Amino acid sequence: MRRATRDDLGPLPVEVAPRLLGAQLRTVVDGAAVHLRITEVEAYHGLGTGPVPDPGSHARSGRTARNDTMWGEPGHLYVYLSHGIHSCVNVVCGPDGSAGGVLLRAAEVIQGADAAASRSGRSGRDLARGPGRLGQVSGLRHALHDGIDAIGDDRRGGASAELWWGEPVAAIATGPRVGVAGIAGTAAFPWRFWIDGDPTVSAFRWGRGAAEAAGG
């Protein structure tokens, strides 16, 4: 494997997302190292990013205090709070001056299982199965670690993060994003990618009004 570069993350998020499968997010938080092999992701485009507006993105209406990291340099991590509880981790990517990110939805813990289990109280395939669990076992927290750079040498809040690039994964599946409301959570946006057959991949569920928007 090799360290990822900003050029690796320069294309549109929907183009970067499948390439992140099999890559690794390596974190050290308060001295404890955890390495995560990424198995499931979702792409999100901000206002003006790409040819199709993305109504499911945090940056769909422009730059705000919450989504500011999404507008920044590729390779930083956008760490946001979901439902007021879960810290979720996104890799910022896309052309300069645009907003975009790839949500890390699931991963296999390949190093630091003890630290991961102590943070989550889980074991096995469920350690980082789902974006909230992945954020938990990584040790990265909103807002302390929002914006941390996974490409350069950056330490903040007792943490460091590195993104490592692997060989392309052959067996990639794609479909609607999980739990996203309305049309943005349907096959109109098949922007969820996962390693087909991997046991750590999370289950699909419709978001609010998405099944109706899909005609299902």
Side-chain angles (χ1 to χ4, degrees), residues 3 82 102 112 175:
R3 285 291 298 272
S82 175
V102 176

Side-chain angles (χ1 to χ4, degrees), residues 3-24:
R3 285 291 298 272
T5 67
R6 302 209 194 278
D7 286 345
D8 291 325
L9 305 173
L12 292 173
V14 73
E15 298 168 355
V16 174
R19 188 64 183 83
L20 281 168
L21 296 173
Q24 291 181 22

Side-chain angles (χ1 to χ4, degrees), residues 27-32 144-145 147-150 152-162:
T27 62
V28 180
V29 181
D30 297 329
L144 182 62
H145 302 124
I148 194 169
D149 188 3
D153 185 15
D154 185 13
R155 293 192 62 85
R156 64 177 72 189
S160 64
E162 297 178 356

Side-chain angles (χ1 to χ4, degrees), residues 20-24 36-41 105-110 123-130 134 169-174 192-204:
L20 281 168
L21 296 173
Q24 291 181 22
L36 299 169
R37 176 178 174 265
I38 300 165
T39 60
E40 181 187 8
V41 296
R105 278 205 56 87
E108 174 191 6
V109 178
I110 59 174
S123 62
R125 72 170 191 171
D126 291 331
L127 271 172
R129 191 174 185 232
L134 188 153
V169 172
I172 296 178
T174 184
R192 173 184 174 228
F193 304 88
W194 64 94
I195 298 176
D196 196 24
D198 192 285
T200 66
V201 172
S202 58
F204 178 76

Side-chain angles (χ1 to χ4, degrees), residues 140-188:
L140 300 177
R141 295 288 174 269
H142 172 83
L144 182 62
H145 302 124
D146 180 32
I148 194 169
D149 188 3
I151 302 298
D153 185 15
D154 185 13
R155 293 192 62 85
R156 64 177 72 189
S160 64
E162 297 178 356
L163 185 64
W164 285 74
W165 220 240
E167 292 298 319
V169 172
I172 296 178
T174 184
R177 295 175 294 193
V178 178
V180 177
I183 191 69
T186 72

Side-chain angles (χ1 to χ4, degrees), residues 44-98:
Y44 291 88
H45 289 188
L47 180 66
T49 302
V52 179
D54 179 6
S57 172
H58 289 173
R60 61 186 176 274
S61 300
R63 197 166 194 158
T64 66
R66 183 194 191 197
N67 67 38
D68 186 67
T69 299
M70 291 183 72
W71 295 86
E73 191 176 36
H76 292 257
L77 302 182
Y78 170 47
V79 184
Y80 73 90
L81 201 62
S82 175
H83 303 293
I85 302 171
H86 305 293
S87 292
C88 298
V89 180
N90 300 253
V91 177
V92 174
C93 51
D96 288 344
S98 68

